[in-house]
């Protein structure tokens, strides 16, 4: 058990050296849809970023309801079908021509990095259109095609007004109609295997660890039926899968084991020499 503690403690230190220390919060500026809108004297939006952030953070730890959604091929799906592994939900609207596509492209980039580090089937992603009159299955399919998103375990879904009202409330998401679209907080919601909101990640683009670290914690967390071997394996993968900012990738840091081996060997040799000398001294005194 001392060895387990030493391994996890050493790997944890390595992980903390690269852990993110800040969260960027970005609201969806409707003026991005039409640059001339900023000078057009339009009515100010009701959107309050601080209030939206408080609402978003306030739902962390709460369970998301089981809503019926529609896939691009017309299939009806329930959110409960995605229990059992982590889930990332991103809300967009398809008539957004700049911010939502950029947000989705960045999410795709980080998802690929996360899958490379955590496993191709380690978590699912859902992009859901919140503008229910326009974000039909056909519109969501076209949006996915336009963004070139064809990643296993990632679906683009629609919902009716009732389901969307409940879902946005559960996710702590609020939006306001604006002259050229909607104003809303740009967020990706990380949900654990039991359906509880674990983390909110903000921004059109964000640092890779802000999404991958909470997913890593969930994927490599304690197993449902833990054993000593599986627990040790997950702890090692959790703390020794580290982010390299120079490559914007995650890697397993094998060097920590070399350091532990050298350290343990040194301690063993020193202990052996001390014990041998103690025995020799004891024999001399007894003789």
């Amino acid at each position: 058990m001392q060895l387990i503690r030493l391994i996890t403690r050493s790997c944890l230190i390595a992980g903390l050296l690269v852990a993110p220390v800040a969260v960027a919060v970005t609201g969806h500026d409707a003026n991005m849809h039409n640059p001339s809108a900023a000078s057009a004297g339009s009515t100010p939006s009701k959107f309050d970023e601080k209030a939206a952030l408080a609402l978003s953070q306030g739902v962390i730890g709460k369970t998301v309801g089981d809503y019926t959604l529609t896939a691009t091929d017309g299939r009806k799906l329930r959110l409960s079908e995605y229990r059992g592994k982590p889930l990332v939900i991103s809300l967009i609207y398809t008539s957004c021509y700049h911010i939502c596509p950029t947000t989705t492209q960045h999410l795709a980039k980080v998802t690929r990095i996360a899958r490379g580090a955590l496993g191709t089937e380690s978590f699912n992603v859902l992009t859901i259109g919140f503008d229910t009159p326009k974000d039909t299955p056909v519109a969501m399919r076209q949006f996915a095609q336009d963004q070139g998103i064809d990643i296993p375990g990632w679906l683009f879904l629609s919902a009716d007004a009732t389901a969307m009202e409940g879902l946005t409330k559960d996710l702590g998401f609020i939006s306001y109609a604006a002259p050229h679209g909607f104003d809303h907080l740009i967020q990706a919601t990380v949900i654990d295997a039991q359906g509880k909101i674990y983390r909110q990640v903000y921004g059109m683009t964000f640092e890779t660890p802000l999404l991958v670290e909470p997913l890593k914690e969930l994927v490599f967390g304690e197993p449902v039926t833990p054993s000593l071997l599986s627990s040790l394996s997950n702890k090692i993968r959790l703390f020794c899968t580290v982010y390299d900012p120079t490559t914007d990738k995650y890697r397993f840091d094998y060097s920590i084991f070399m350091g532990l081996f050298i350290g343990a060997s040194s301690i063993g040799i020193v202990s052996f020499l001390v014990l041998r000398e103690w025995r020799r001294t004891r024999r001399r005194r007894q003789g």
Side-chain angles (χ1 to χ4, degrees), residues 26-30 33 44-49 51-53 55-56 90-96 99-100 128-133 135 161 164-187:
T26 306
H28 190 142
D29 183 1
H33 298 279
S45 171
K46 298 179 182 179
F47 181 74
D48 182 333
E49 188 170 290
L53 178 60
L55 179 67
S56 174
S90 173
L91 296 178
I92 59 94
Y93 64 101
T94 56
S95 59
C96 169
I99 294 180
C100 292
I128 305 173
F130 68 84
D131 184 9
T132 54
D135 295 340
M164 184 55 60
E165 181 180 2
L167 179 59
T168 52
K169 181 178 180 181
D170 288 354
L171 296 179
F173 178 89
I174 190 170
S175 64
Y176 291 95
H180 302 283
F182 292 88
D183 286 342
H184 62 90
L185 202 63
I186 303 172
Q187 70 179 45

Side-chain angles (χ1 to χ4, degrees), residues 17-142:
L17 292 176
V18 295
V21 296
V23 176
V25 179
T26 306
H28 190 142
D29 183 1
N31 290 331
M32 292 295 291
H33 298 279
N34 187 342
S36 64
S39 58
S42 56
T43 303
S45 171
K46 298 179 182 179
F47 181 74
D48 182 333
E49 188 170 290
K50 290 184 179 180
L53 178 60
L55 179 67
S56 174
Q57 286 289 299
V59 299
I60 292 177
K62 296 183 179 180
T63 301
V64 179
D66 186 16
Y67 301 100
T68 299
L69 306 169
T70 306
T72 56
D73 60 4
R75 287 180 298 129
K76 297 295 183 181
L77 303 171
R78 298 194 68 85
L79 274 182
S80 58
E81 297 178 35
Y82 292 90
R83 301 282 172 87
K85 65 175 64 176
L87 174 67
V88 178
I89 294 181
S90 173
L91 296 178
I92 59 94
Y93 64 101
T94 56
S95 59
C96 169
Y97 85 91
H98 173 68
I99 294 180
C100 292
T102 303
T103 300
T104 303
Q105 288 289 336
H106 184 73
L107 181 59
K109 171 192 170 185
V110 178
T111 295
R112 292 185 181 98
I113 293 173
R115 292 277 179 79
L118 308 179
T120 56
E121 298 181 356
S122 54
F123 64 95
N124 291 310
V125 182
L126 300 180
T127 294
I128 305 173
F130 68 84
D131 184 9
T132 54
K134 297 181 180 179
D135 295 340
T136 63
V138 173
M140 294 302 294
R141 180 170 64 248
Q142 187 62 52

